[in-house]
Amino acid sequence: MSTAAATGSTAEPPGDRILVRDLRLWAHVGVLEQERQLGQWFELDLELAVDLAAAGARDELAHSLDYSLAITALQQQARSLRCLTLEHFAERILSLLEELYGPVPMRLELRKCRAPVPGFTGTVAVRRSRHGQGLAW
């Protein structure tokens, strides 16, 4: 974790953000037994608030957050996860991100791509955040 991310301050989060959008994850999550046995696709958007000025000025990854670590860890977590609710899946994601980067302001939107509701063709999602009341959607 970079020193920029390690402050854990309760001050207003920096205006800078690292965004990962449309990360597709295969996971065994759902209230229906079939969902947990067969698995299904989910999509994830996440946002990490971190001061990127030093990384921008010095062109060094050590002054930022390496998003490839999060992507790889989230893919691994999703493959092994078994749970009932999107809410719990999102909680596990937030905990993993906190393990990787510390208590940086973060938020996510986790979408179930094909909810098993007859006649429904849209997506269902939860939005969660941690360490950042200033992160408004």
Side-chain angles (χ1 to χ4, degrees), residues 86-103:
L86 274 173
E87 293 83 353
H88 183 74
F89 188 7
E91 182 69 19
R92 297 284 299 272
I93 291 168
L94 290 169
S95 293
L96 178 61
L97 292 172
E98 189 173 23
E99 287 174 28
L100 290 172
Y101 303 122

Side-chain angles (χ1 to χ4, degrees), residues 23-81:
L23 175 59
R24 290 183 53 87
L25 301 168
W26 183 265
H28 297 265
V29 176
V31 173
L32 301 177
E33 181 70 25
Q34 178 179 342
E35 294 178 286
R36 291 188 310 280
Q37 285 186 358
L38 300 177
Q40 60 190 304
W41 286 109
F42 294 83
E43 288 185 349
L44 175 66
D45 295 341
L46 63 92
E47 181 173 330
L48 303 166
V50 59
D51 186 347
L52 299 173
R58 295 185 182 95
D59 194 24
E60 295 175 4
L61 183 56
H63 295 285
S64 186
L65 302 178
D66 184 347
Y67 55 80
S68 71
L69 296 175
I71 291 169
T72 300
L74 290 166
Q75 289 169 330
Q76 291 172 352
Q77 179 191 61
R79 283 192 295 270
S80 64
L81 184 67

